[in-house]
Amino acid sequence: MNNFLKTKFCGLANKEHVAFAIKNNIYWAGFIYVKGSSRFITYEDSKKIISSFKNKINFVGVYVNPSNDHIKLGINAGIDYIQLHGEECPERCKEIKKLYKKPIIKAIPIADESDLKNIEYYNNVCDYFLFDKKNTNKKGYNGGTGETFDWNIIYNNKKWLSKFKPWILSGGLDIYNINKAISLTETKAIDVSSGIEYNSGIKSIELMDLFTKKINNYNYEIQK
């Protein structure tokens, strides 16, 4: 069972979608606490959802350069993980981990191999890395582009990556490319958001189901 791919459905906003995730053994459910995002959810609404499914799935609060007050609101809502998707420096990550005693997922936006090397600075202050497409049209850290980065960057550095904390593959994953992404990168964890939406911010049970079937087929194959 330990070889199973861990999957994160991110940008969830209602009980029906979280229930689907739990029923289908999704490992993480992500809430976007970033105003302006099409997937934004309030702390109050996320707390209602978490209280209905506490201890049935790992809830992740996604932040961009958050204040301690904002993180605390997520902690009070019941999140299990803190995902930092901004320009948080290693010292800030260490401070947040010490304050809230929660696992830290640090997003690393990638455009080229030099971006991947940034994990060296964060390895001792986070529990997971999340590799996402660098948004070069904006500030480059806020993700949610629905675009992939060059997976060959991972492929060419797989041996080197094995020396660091575990990582999650993100950025534009969907039912059409997930098999190739897994095969090329040999990732052990994935994050999907736009790939289970027909419209930005609006999740689709149909696409969630199709995506889950792809993952289940992968999990079945590696257990044979």
Side-chain angles (χ1 to χ4, degrees), residues 177-189:
N177 64 20
I178 187 59
N179 287 350
K180 181 180 179 181
I182 295 170
S183 176
L184 186 64
T185 67
E186 297 180 9
T187 185
K188 300 296 188 296

Side-chain angles (χ1 to χ4, degrees), residues 104-122:
I104 302 290
I105 301 172
K106 181 67 184 87
I108 305 293
I110 295 177
D112 55 45
E113 191 169 291
S114 65
D115 295 317
L116 183 65
K117 302 299 184 180
N118 285 326
I119 68 174
E120 292 180 311
Y121 305 111
Y122 289 90

Side-chain angles (χ1 to χ4, degrees), residues 185-197:
T185 67
E186 297 180 9
T187 185
K188 300 296 188 296
I190 57 173
D191 176 294
V192 61
S193 185
S194 63
I196 49 175
E197 297 174 348

Side-chain angles (χ1 to χ4, degrees), residues 96-107:
I96 291 170
K97 188 173 175 64
K98 183 177 181 181
L99 279 172
Y100 300 107
K101 309 293 192 296
K102 296 290 184 183
I104 302 290
I105 301 172
K106 181 67 184 87

Side-chain angles (χ1 to χ4, degrees), residues 58-205:
N58 296 290
F59 289 102
V60 182
V62 180
Y63 296 91
V64 171
N65 303 327
S67 67
N68 289 343
D69 288 342
H70 279 287
I71 297 174
K72 188 173 182 180
L73 288 169
I75 298 296
N76 291 342
I79 60 171
D80 304 294
Y81 285 70
I82 299 169
Q83 181 174 319
L84 300 172
H85 222 293
E87 296 172 310
E88 303 87 4
C89 66
E91 291 75 18
R92 177 62 175 146
C93 294
K94 183 177 181 180
E95 177 186 32
I96 291 170
K97 188 173 175 64
K98 183 177 181 181
L99 279 172
Y100 300 107
K101 309 293 192 296
K102 296 290 184 183
I104 302 290
I105 301 172
K106 181 67 184 87
I108 305 293
I110 295 177
D112 55 45
E113 191 169 291
S114 65
D115 295 317
L116 183 65
K117 302 299 184 180
N118 285 326
I119 68 174
E120 292 180 311
Y121 305 111
Y122 289 90
N123 195 57
N124 295 325
V125 295
C126 71
D127 299 273
Y128 281 88
F129 295 109
L130 184 140
F131 300 144
D132 202 351
K133 162 79 171 179
K134 178 176 277 190
N135 188 349
T136 54
N137 292 325
K138 297 182 180 179
K139 294 183 179 180
Y141 57 74
N142 52 355
T145 64
E147 299 175 357
T148 61
F149 64 90
D150 182 2
W151 298 325
N152 286 300
I153 295 170
I154 302 296
Y155 177 82
N156 294 332
N157 289 278
K158 280 188 285 190
K159 185 175 181 181
W160 178 80
L161 280 168
S162 67
K163 300 184 294 183
F164 298 93
K165 294 288 175 60
W167 50 274
I168 304 165
L169 184 67
S170 185
L173 300 177
D174 58 31
I175 59 174
Y176 303 106
N177 64 20
I178 187 59
N179 287 350
K180 181 180 179 181
I182 295 170
S183 176
L184 186 64
T185 67
E186 297 180 9
T187 185
K188 300 296 188 296
I190 57 173
D191 176 294
V192 61
S193 185
S194 63
I196 49 175
E197 297 174 348
Y198 282 124
N199 296 296
S200 182
I202 309 298
K203 293 293 184 285
S204 161
I205 287 289

